[in-house]
PDB file of all heavy atoms in Angstrom:
ATOM      1  N   ALA A  36     -16.784 175.019  74.521  1.00 98.00           N
ATOM      2  CA  ALA A  36     -15.877 174.334  73.593  1.00 98.00           C
ATOM      3  C   ALA A  36     -16.447 174.339  72.177  1.00 98.00           C
ATOM      4  O   ALA A  36     -15.723 174.576  71.200  1.00 98.00           O
ATOM      5  CB  ALA A  36     -15.616 172.901  74.056  1.00 98.00           C
ATOM      6  N   VAL A  37     -17.744 174.107  72.053  1.00 98.00           N
ATOM      7  CA  VAL A  37     -18.389 174.129  70.735  1.00 98.00           C
ATOM      8  C   VAL A  37     -18.294 175.519  70.119  1.00 98.00           C
ATOM      9  O   VAL A  37     -17.979 175.669  68.933  1.00 98.00           O
ATOM     10  CB  VAL A  37     -19.859 173.656  70.827  1.00 98.00           C
ATOM     11  CG1 VAL A  37     -20.630 173.966  69.554  1.00 98.00           C
ATOM     12  CG2 VAL A  37     -19.917 172.172  71.139  1.00 98.00           C
ATOM     13  N   VAL A  38     -18.545 176.530  70.926  1.00 98.00           N
ATOM     14  CA  VAL A  38     -18.487 177.921  70.420  1.00 98.00           C
ATOM     15  C   VAL A  38     -17.084 178.244  69.919  1.00 98.00           C
ATOM     16  O   VAL A  38     -16.918 178.744  68.802  1.00 98.00           O
ATOM     17  CB  VAL A  38     -18.905 178.914  71.532  1.00 98.00           C
ATOM     18  CG1 VAL A  38     -18.576 180.349  71.137  1.00 98.00           C
ATOM     19  CG2 VAL A  38     -20.383 178.763  71.826  1.00 98.00           C
ATOM     20  N   TRP A  39     -16.064 177.968  70.729  1.00 98.00           N
ATOM     21  CA  TRP A  39     -14.691 178.267  70.306  1.00 98.00           C
ATOM     22  C   TRP A  39     -14.291 177.416  69.106  1.00 98.00           C
ATOM     23  O   TRP A  39     -13.615 177.898  68.198  1.00 98.00           O
ATOM     24  CB  TRP A  39     -13.702 178.066  71.448  1.00 98.00           C
ATOM     25  CG  TRP A  39     -13.763 179.090  72.536  1.00 98.00           C
ATOM     26  CD1 TRP A  39     -13.786 178.855  73.876  1.00 98.00           C
ATOM     27  CD2 TRP A  39     -13.791 180.519  72.411  1.00 98.00           C
ATOM     28  NE1 TRP A  39     -13.832 180.038  74.575  1.00 98.00           N
ATOM     29  CE2 TRP A  39     -13.839 181.075  73.699  1.00 98.00           C
ATOM     30  CE3 TRP A  39     -13.801 181.380  71.315  1.00 98.00           C
ATOM     31  CZ2 TRP A  39     -13.881 182.444  73.939  1.00 98.00           C
ATOM     32  CZ3 TRP A  39     -13.847 182.755  71.543  1.00 98.00           C
ATOM     33  CH2 TRP A  39     -13.885 183.267  72.838  1.00 98.00           C
ATOM     34  N   GLY A  40     -14.681 176.157  69.099  1.00 98.00           N
ATOM     35  CA  GLY A  40     -14.353 175.299  67.969  1.00 98.00           C
ATOM     36  C   GLY A  40     -14.997 175.785  66.682  1.00 98.00           C
ATOM     37  O   GLY A  40     -14.345 175.851  65.630  1.00 98.00           O
ATOM     38  N   TRP A  41     -16.248 176.138  66.761  1.00 98.00           N
ATOM     39  CA  TRP A  41     -16.990 176.648  65.602  1.00 98.00           C
ATOM     40  C   TRP A  41     -16.340 177.936  65.090  1.00 98.00           C
ATOM     41  O   TRP A  41     -16.093 178.091  63.901  1.00 98.00           O
ATOM     42  CB  TRP A  41     -18.437 176.852  66.001  1.00 98.00           C
ATOM     43  CG  TRP A  41     -19.360 177.403  64.950  1.00 98.00           C
ATOM     44  CD1 TRP A  41     -19.173 177.464  63.590  1.00 98.00           C
ATOM     45  CD2 TRP A  41     -20.636 177.975  65.180  1.00 98.00           C
ATOM     46  NE1 TRP A  41     -20.254 178.032  62.978  1.00 98.00           N
ATOM     47  CE2 TRP A  41     -21.179 178.358  63.949  1.00 98.00           C
ATOM     48  CE3 TRP A  41     -21.383 178.202  66.330  1.00 98.00           C
ATOM     49  CZ2 TRP A  41     -22.430 178.963  63.819  1.00 98.00           C
ATOM     50  CZ3 TRP A  41     -22.631 178.794  66.200  1.00 98.00           C
ATOM     51  CH2 TRP A  41     -23.142 179.170  64.958  1.00 98.00           C
ATOM     52  N   ALA A  42     -16.049 178.847  66.004  1.00 97.00           N
ATOM     53  CA  ALA A  42     -15.443 180.130  65.619  1.00 97.00           C
ATOM     54  C   ALA A  42     -14.069 179.920  65.000  1.00 97.00           C
ATOM     55  O   ALA A  42     -13.745 180.523  63.967  1.00 97.00           O
ATOM     56  CB  ALA A  42     -15.353 181.053  66.836  1.00 97.00           C
ATOM     57  N   GLY A  43     -13.250 179.092  65.627  1.00 98.00           N
ATOM     58  CA  GLY A  43     -11.901 178.860  65.117  1.00 98.00           C
ATOM     59  C   GLY A  43     -11.893 178.162  63.771  1.00 98.00           C
ATOM     60  O   GLY A  43     -11.171 178.562  62.851  1.00 98.00           O
ATOM     61  N   LEU A  44     -12.715 177.120  63.630  1.00 97.00           N
ATOM     62  CA  LEU A  44     -12.767 176.392  62.363  1.00 97.00           C
ATOM     63  C   LEU A  44     -13.302 177.262  61.228  1.00 97.00           C
ATOM     64  O   LEU A  44     -12.860 177.126  60.080  1.00 97.00           O
ATOM     65  CB  LEU A  44     -13.620 175.126  62.505  1.00 97.00           C
ATOM     66  CG  LEU A  44     -12.986 174.002  63.298  1.00 97.00           C
ATOM     67  CD1 LEU A  44     -13.999 172.882  63.541  1.00 97.00           C
ATOM     68  CD2 LEU A  44     -11.736 173.473  62.609  1.00 97.00           C
ATOM     69  N   ALA A  45     -14.233 178.160  61.542  1.00 96.00           N
ATOM     70  CA  ALA A  45     -14.804 179.030  60.515  1.00 96.00           C
ATOM     71  C   ALA A  45     -13.772 180.016  59.963  1.00 96.00           C
ATOM     72  O   ALA A  45     -13.903 180.481  58.833  1.00 96.00           O
ATOM     73  CB  ALA A  45     -16.001 179.800  61.085  1.00 96.00           C
ATOM     74  N   LYS A  46     -12.742 180.315  60.753  1.00 96.00           N
ATOM     75  CA  LYS A  46     -11.762 181.330  60.350  1.00 96.00           C
ATOM     76  C   LYS A  46     -10.408 180.778  59.937  1.00 96.00           C
ATOM     77  O   LYS A  46      -9.673 181.430  59.206  1.00 96.00           O
ATOM     78  CB  LYS A  46     -11.555 182.328  61.495  1.00 96.00           C
ATOM     79  CG  LYS A  46     -12.766 183.179  61.781  1.00 96.00           C
ATOM     80  CD  LYS A  46     -12.495 184.167  62.882  1.00 96.00           C
ATOM     81  CE  LYS A  46     -12.772 183.543  64.201  1.00 96.00           C
ATOM     82  NZ  LYS A  46     -13.115 184.419  65.275  1.00 96.00           N
ATOM     83  N   VAL A  47     -10.063 179.587  60.403  1.00 96.00           N
ATOM     84  CA  VAL A  47      -8.710 179.083  60.213  1.00 96.00           C
ATOM     85  C   VAL A  47      -8.373 178.837  58.736  1.00 96.00           C
ATOM     86  O   VAL A  47      -7.213 178.967  58.341  1.00 96.00           O
ATOM     87  CB  VAL A  47      -8.452 177.826  61.082  1.00 96.00           C
ATOM     88  CG1 VAL A  47      -9.116 176.586  60.504  1.00 96.00           C
ATOM     89  CG2 VAL A  47      -6.972 177.615  61.314  1.00 96.00           C
ATOM     90  N   SER A  48      -9.368 178.511  57.930  1.00 95.00           N
ATOM     91  CA  SER A  48      -9.101 178.198  56.524  1.00 95.00           C
ATOM     92  C   SER A  48      -8.876 179.442  55.666  1.00 95.00           C
ATOM     93  O   SER A  48      -8.377 179.325  54.545  1.00 95.00           O
ATOM     94  CB  SER A  48     -10.250 177.375  55.935  1.00 95.00           C
ATOM     95  OG  SER A  48     -11.434 178.145  55.933  1.00 95.00           O
ATOM     96  N   ASP A  49      -9.248 180.621  56.167  1.00 95.00           N
ATOM     97  CA  ASP A  49      -9.051 181.850  55.398  1.00 95.00           C
ATOM     98  C   ASP A  49      -8.517 182.952  56.320  1.00 95.00           C
ATOM     99  O   ASP A  49      -9.263 183.833  56.751  1.00 95.00           O
ATOM    100  CB  ASP A  49     -10.362 182.295  54.744  1.00 95.00           C
ATOM    101  CG  ASP A  49     -10.153 183.393  53.703  1.00 95.00           C
ATOM    102  OD1 ASP A  49      -9.039 183.968  53.632  1.00 95.00           O
ATOM    103  OD2 ASP A  49     -11.110 183.675  52.967  1.00 95.00           O
ATOM    104  N   PRO A  50      -7.224 182.894  56.636  1.00 93.00           N
ATOM    105  CA  PRO A  50      -6.667 183.875  57.568  1.00 93.00           C
ATOM    106  C   PRO A  50      -6.736 185.315  57.055  1.00 93.00           C
ATOM    107  O   PRO A  50      -6.863 186.243  57.848  1.00 93.00           O
ATOM    108  CB  PRO A  50      -5.225 183.419  57.765  1.00 93.00           C
ATOM    109  CG  PRO A  50      -4.945 182.475  56.662  1.00 93.00           C
ATOM    110  CD  PRO A  50      -6.246 181.919  56.203  1.00 93.00           C
ATOM    111  N   ALA A  51      -6.693 185.500  55.743  1.00 94.00           N
ATOM    112  CA  ALA A  51      -6.795 186.865  55.203  1.00 94.00           C
ATOM    113  C   ALA A  51      -8.170 187.454  55.497  1.00 94.00           C
ATOM    114  O   ALA A  51      -8.289 188.641  55.828  1.00 94.00           O
ATOM    115  CB  ALA A  51      -6.516 186.862  53.704  1.00 94.00           C
ATOM    116  N   GLU A  52      -9.199 186.621  55.401  1.00 95.00           N
ATOM    117  CA  GLU A  52     -10.553 187.088  55.718  1.00 95.00           C
ATOM    118  C   GLU A  52     -10.669 187.401  57.210  1.00 95.00           C
ATOM    119  O   GLU A  52     -11.305 188.380  57.596  1.00 95.00           O
ATOM    120  CB  GLU A  52     -11.582 186.038  55.308  1.00 95.00           C
ATOM    121  CG  GLU A  52     -13.012 186.496  55.525  1.00 95.00           C
ATOM    122  CD  GLU A  52     -14.023 185.454  55.084  1.00 95.00           C
ATOM    123  OE1 GLU A  52     -14.019 184.341  55.659  1.00 95.00           O
ATOM    124  OE2 GLU A  52     -14.813 185.762  54.173  1.00 95.00           O
ATOM    125  N   ALA A  53     -10.034 186.569  58.042  1.00 95.00           N
ATOM    126  CA  ALA A  53     -10.047 186.813  59.487  1.00 95.00           C
ATOM    127  C   ALA A  53      -9.347 188.133  59.805  1.00 95.00           C
ATOM    128  O   ALA A  53      -9.810 188.911  60.641  1.00 95.00           O
ATOM    129  CB  ALA A  53      -9.385 185.660  60.229  1.00 95.00           C
ATOM    130  N   ALA A  54      -8.243 188.408  59.122  1.00 96.00           N
ATOM    131  CA  ALA A  54      -7.529 189.676  59.326  1.00 96.00           C
ATOM    132  C   ALA A  54      -8.388 190.849  58.859  1.00 96.00           C
ATOM    133  O   ALA A  54      -8.400 191.907  59.507  1.00 96.00           O
ATOM    134  CB  ALA A  54      -6.193 189.654  58.585  1.00 96.00           C
ATOM    135  N   GLN A  55      -9.119 190.672  57.751  1.00 96.00           N
ATOM    136  CA  GLN A  55      -9.999 191.740  57.268  1.00 96.00           C
ATOM    137  C   GLN A  55     -11.096 192.036  58.296  1.00 96.00           C
ATOM    138  O   GLN A  55     -11.458 193.192  58.501  1.00 96.00           O
ATOM    139  CB  GLN A  55     -10.629 191.364  55.917  1.00 96.00           C
ATOM    140  CG  GLN A  55     -11.585 192.392  55.368  1.00 96.00           C
ATOM    141  CD  GLN A  55     -11.009 193.801  55.305  1.00 96.00           C
ATOM    142  OE1 GLN A  55      -9.840 194.010  54.980  1.00 96.00           O
ATOM    143  NE2 GLN A  55     -11.823 194.787  55.649  1.00 96.00           N
ATOM    144  N   ALA A  56     -11.612 190.999  58.944  1.00 96.00           N
ATOM    145  CA  ALA A  56     -12.629 191.202  59.978  1.00 96.00           C
ATOM    146  C   ALA A  56     -12.054 192.011  61.141  1.00 96.00           C
ATOM    147  O   ALA A  56     -12.706 192.908  61.668  1.00 96.00           O
ATOM    148  CB  ALA A  56     -13.160 189.856  60.471  1.00 96.00           C
TER     149      ALA A  56
END
Side-chain angles (χ1 to χ4, degrees):
V37 167
V38 168
W39 288 133
W41 179 17
L44 287 172
K46 293 182 273 206
V47 76
S48 64
D49 192 349
E52 184 179 62
Q55 178 52 39

